[in-house]
């Protein structure tokens, strides 16, 4: 049997989807910091995982969370661990939606 609280939460989410989205006004991180470097790569359309980001910086999730705090709508999903990773457990992949990349491109083009 389903938990009644979960049913209520999911139906409430459907109602919220009818509300207009807030204005896209993210704060830019310092481009020389790790969140700034990750953002620059995602703005080029790259999908980042910890192995693709680099093994010298083991805090990609923290950099992505910082971008979230700054208003960047980073999306994520679990993907299979690459061959040779050793654990066999899924890892997270992060990217920016195309609408965000297009919005940033139009803002930068207008300047």
């Amino acid at each position: 049997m389903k938990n009644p609280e979960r049913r209520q939460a999911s139906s409430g989410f459907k109602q919220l989807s009818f509300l207009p989205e807030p204005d896209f006004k993210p704060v830019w991180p310092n481009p020389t910091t790790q969140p700034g470097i990750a953002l620059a790569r995602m703005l080029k359309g790259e999908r980042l995982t910890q192995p693709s980001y680099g093994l010298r910086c083991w805090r990609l999730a923290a950099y992505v969370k910082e971008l979230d705090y700054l208003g960047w709508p980073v999306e994520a999903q679990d993907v299979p661990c690459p061959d040779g990773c050793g654990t066999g457990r899924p890892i997270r992949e992060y990217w920016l939606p195309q609408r965000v990349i297009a919005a940033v491109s139009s803002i930068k083009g207008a300047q």
Side-chain angles (χ1 to χ4, degrees):
M1 184 159 86
K2 285 190 174 181
N3 183 344
E5 291 177 25
R6 288 185 184 212
R7 278 199 303 263
Q8 290 173 354
S10 65
S11 64
F13 179 72
K14 290 177 185 174
Q15 291 176 351
L16 291 177
S17 67
F18 292 110
L19 295 175
E21 287 190 29
D23 290 339
F24 177 63
K25 295 181 182 176
V27 175
W28 288 85
N30 182 326
T32 62
T33 63
Q34 292 300 324
I37 293 167
L39 177 62
R41 289 176 63 177
M42 286 189 284
L43 284 171
K44 293 177 183 174
E46 189 174 347
R47 288 177 171 244
L48 298 176
T49 62
Q50 186 62 64
S52 72
Y53 187 70
L55 302 179
R56 66 176 182 81
C57 302
W58 276 103
R59 302 279 299 150
L60 179 59
Y63 310 145
V64 169
K65 190 62 179 174
E66 180 66 26
L67 293 173
D68 178 51
Y69 291 147
L70 295 173
W72 292 94
V74 178
E75 295 188 5
Q77 70 179 0
D78 286 337
V79 296
C81 187
D83 291 335
C85 185
T87 66
R89 295 187 318 220
I91 59 174
R92 294 297 268 177
E93 178 181 59
Y94 304 98
W95 71 93
L96 287 173
Q98 276 304 122
R99 65 180 169 76
V100 172
I101 295 171
V104 170
S105 296
S106 68
I107 291 170
K108 291 231 178 215
Q111 291 178 350

